[in-house]
Amino acid sequence: MKNPRDIIMKPIITERSMADAEVKKFTFKVDKRANKIEIKNAVEVIFDVKVEKVSTMNMKGKLKRTGRFVGRRSDWKKAIVKLTPGSKGIQFFEGV
């Protein structure tokens, strides 16, 4: 089994994710190879909450230019985690 802290890379803080946090939906950048079951277990272990549903999406890296050269950012995976109604919120998102 993978280390849960290797699966969950960082939280995503945007206006939309903060609005979703009010209804107990939290957004994270996760390892590209992780599946929904691994993401669910990692969030439950790290934050001590109960997860109801996990939605994942593969995000394409953006094209970026440096002078005349065109490069590309890395592709990454985003997970939106919905907590059960009886579960407490994630402390990290409450202070923001």
Side-chain angles (χ1 to χ4, degrees), residues 48-92:
D48 193 31
V49 293
K50 289 291 182 188
V51 175
E52 180 179 329
K53 181 180 174 183
V54 176
S55 302
T56 60
M57 54 208 90
N58 289 311
M59 308 298 288
K60 296 286 184 184
K62 295 180 179 180
L63 289 175
K64 291 294 176 180
R65 291 190 52 172
T66 305
R68 63 183 178 148
F69 302 106
V70 178
R72 185 176 193 92
R73 287 188 182 168
S74 300
D75 297 340
W76 55 286
K77 190 177 222 180
K78 176 165 68 170
I80 299 175
V81 177
K82 182 177 182 183
L83 304 182
T84 57
S87 181
K88 62 180 174 117
I90 295 177
Q91 296 292 338
F92 182 81

Side-chain angles (χ1 to χ4, degrees), residues 11 13 18 21 26 28 43 46-49 83 87-96:
I13 311 275
M18 289 297 104
F26 301 98
F28 297 98
V43 170
I46 292 171
F47 299 107
D48 193 31
V49 293
L83 304 182
S87 181
K88 62 180 174 117
I90 295 177
Q91 296 292 338
F92 182 81
F93 287 91
E94 291 176 2
V96 177

